[in-house]
Amino acid sequence: MFKVKFLEEAKKFLDSLDEKPRDKIFYNIWKSKISKDEELLKKLEDEIWEFRTLYNKSAYRLFAFWDETEKSIIIATHGITKKTDKTPKKEINKAKQLREEYLKTNKK
């Protein structure tokens, strides 16, 4: 079991969605806390993971990383609605950049 903390960009992405896909994303996040299912939470590369949701033929991705100081917390950085099968490299790089900023400002 783990906690999820949402950075501002992740909150904005979720707020921009209609209620039903947003609810499905939150449901899948909850479900990923109790089961190890790569269809819900998948490691992309290095320290970057993604919460995966498919709703009404649209693929939603919420990028995330594990907090280094407290391993029971995963930080959601930002989200996208995927239009292709491949995850855009620029989105993975954005998640890495947000991770670095988070680590710099949250060192204990």
Side-chain angles (χ1 to χ4, degrees):
M1 197 68 145
F2 56 86
K3 294 179 187 174
V4 180
K5 184 175 174 182
F6 298 92
L7 296 183
E8 198 58 40
E9 288 199 40
K11 290 177 189 175
K12 286 179 184 174
F13 170 72
L14 292 167
D15 287 344
S16 74
L17 300 174
D18 289 337
E19 182 179 359
K20 289 190 178 192
R22 183 174 52 240
D23 288 348
K24 178 81 182 269
I25 291 170
F26 282 123
Y27 172 76
N28 282 352
I29 290 172
W30 171 81
K31 202 170 160 187
S32 71
K33 291 179 180 184
I34 57 174
S35 70
K36 289 200 180 244
D37 184 347
E38 200 172 276
E39 289 303 309
L40 300 175
L41 180 60
K42 180 181 178 182
K43 186 172 186 173
L44 293 176
E45 62 179 61
D46 300 327
E47 303 296 324
I48 305 302
W49 294 68
E50 68 178 355
F51 287 104
R52 303 160 55 93
T53 299
L54 186 62
Y55 178 78
N56 208 16
K57 298 182 183 176
S58 291
Y60 299 92
R61 299 296 186 258
L62 199 58
F63 297 90
F65 62 89
W66 291 96
D67 188 321
E68 291 181 349
T69 58
E70 195 168 336
K71 294 291 185 189
S72 63
I73 297 177
I74 192 166
I75 311 298
T77 60
H78 70 291
I80 62 168
T81 303
K82 266 181 69 171
K83 293 172 176 54
T84 64
D85 287 342
K86 198 166 171 106
T87 301
K89 186 72 175 159
K90 71 174 191 163
E91 298 299 341
I92 295 171
N93 290 337
K94 182 176 181 177
K96 287 179 181 180
Q97 178 189 354
L98 290 167
R99 177 180 176 271
E100 290 302 316
E101 290 171 17
Y102 175 86
L103 294 176
K104 282 180 189 171
T105 57
N106 291 291
K107 282 198 175 197
K108 289 189 175 182

